[in-house]
Amino acid sequence: MTQKLNRHGISVRAARNSALAALAADLPSPILADLTGMHRHTAIRWVTYARRDWAEYLAARTADLQED
């Protein structure tokens, strides 16, 4: 399907990566691996990539609020 879409100028890589990142943000790596059929190490990398870490954002917001 990807090859057919690419022949017509429709790239699906960005949508695929976005969908995987969304799944990886919500699912543990073993479930992601089983659901998608990817290797468990690949699933671990996706989960690590998609991990939401708000600490840096919160620190920046706190610094902004203290300056005001």
Side-chain angles (χ1 to χ4, degrees):
M1 179 65 100
T2 300
Q3 291 174 351
K4 289 181 182 181
L5 290 171
N6 283 336
R7 273 185 260 158
H8 295 286
I10 301 169
S11 176
V12 296
R13 171 127 355 227
R16 174 191 173 272
N17 289 346
S18 295
L20 274 173
L23 280 173
D26 294 332
L27 298 174
S29 60
I31 295 173
L32 180 64
D34 286 343
L35 185 65
T36 61
M38 67 175 59
H39 192 273
R40 60 188 167 98
H41 291 153
T42 304
I44 290 170
R45 280 196 312 253
W46 273 100
V47 168
T48 302
Y49 168 75
R51 182 177 297 140
R52 294 178 180 154
D53 182 11
W54 295 94
E56 187 175 321
Y57 169 78
L58 292 174
R61 285 293 293 151
T62 301
D64 286 345
L65 292 174
Q66 290 175 353
E67 290 176 4
D68 291 337

